[in-house]
Amino acid sequence: MSNAYSEAAARPPVKTRPVKTRYDGVMLLLHWSVALLILVAFAIAQGRGLVPRGPERTALMDLHRSLGVLVLALVALRMVWRAVSPPPPMPADTAPLLLLAAKAGHLALYALMIAVPLVGVLMTQANGHPVSVFGLFTLPALVGEDKGFGHTLEEAHEFLGTAIIVLAGLHAAAALVHQYVLKDGTLSRMLPRRNR
């Protein structure tokens, strides 16, 4: 028994990583960039009717599509980064039902952040228009021209676009409830750290 004890004492202590309490800088940048881009793209879509048909509206919708493609790229990057650098765990005393709701909400948001721009690209191409990204390159055609299919995709794109704004609003409201009602610091984990 003394041998076993002395061997255990001679082993170096196992180093454990400290538990993360905040999202890292890369995830903060991706999170807030995607949120801002989605809001701007949605505002452009809602306000396009205020611009007369012509080159100005075409340029505005080209910007809308470019922002959508950028959202898609950043969400893909965010998913990769999330696998490399997992988010901090929810507070230990979070109710199981709240944990389940948070996971379901995040999954739904990720699904919509992919679906909305992807359906928008397909819709544009089905309506016979190329998708230029900030004038730098044009996406390859994923579907052929089909106006009927394009109309169906347009309805789906508008519905999903509204759904993502509603869900993002619920997500923000839940974060505020966690921060100011439950007082568990959930929102603080996703805000830039203040210099003291």
Side-chain angles (χ1 to χ4, degrees):
M1 184 163 180
S2 61
N3 273 348
Y5 177 76
S6 60
E7 284 176 17
R11 283 191 214 122
V14 178
K15 290 183 181 178
T16 58
R17 285 184 176 178
V19 176
K20 284 171 71 171
T21 58
R22 299 178 50 78
Y23 286 86
D24 59 46
V26 173
M27 188 57 90
L28 288 177
L29 180 63
L30 290 170
H31 177 274
W32 294 111
S33 298
V34 167
L36 180 62
L37 289 171
I38 288 171
L39 287 174
V40 172
F42 185 77
I44 289 172
Q46 296 306 303
R48 71 186 183 276
L50 301 174
V51 180
R53 288 185 183 274
E56 290 82 9
R57 190 191 287 196
T58 299
L60 194 63
M61 293 314 295
D62 284 344
L63 175 60
H64 172 80
R65 294 180 193 105
S66 294
L67 294 177
V69 173
L70 183 55
V71 165
L72 196 55
L74 291 178
V75 169
L77 181 59
R78 184 174 169 174
M79 291 169 74
V80 170
W81 188 256
R82 190 179 174 98
V84 171
S85 178
M90 291 287 282
D93 58 350
T94 305
L97 192 58
L98 282 179
L99 284 174
L100 184 63
K103 284 184 180 178
H106 279 101
L107 280 173
L109 271 173
Y110 271 98
L112 286 169
M113 287 187 293
I114 293 167
V116 172
L118 186 55
V119 170
V121 166
L122 295 174
M123 171 195 76
T124 303
Q125 293 176 342
N127 283 326
H129 305 293
V131 177
S132 171
V133 182
F134 298 111
L136 300 174
F137 60 93
T138 300
L139 295 183
L142 302 173
V143 294
E145 185 172 346
D146 181 338
K147 299 286 187 182
F149 185 45
H151 179 70
T152 301
L153 289 172
E154 186 173 348
E155 291 181 341
H157 184 63
E158 288 181 8
F159 173 79
L160 293 171
T162 301
I164 198 170
I165 293 299
V166 170
L167 191 55
L170 291 172
H171 176 71
L176 291 171
V177 168
H178 273 280
Q179 185 73 17
Y180 298 109
V181 177
L182 301 177
K183 299 184 185 301
D184 61 10
T186 296
L187 180 60
S188 299
R189 304 177 326 153
M190 191 50 90
L191 294 175
R193 193 186 301 272
R194 291 180 183 171
N195 292 331
R196 294 185 179 180

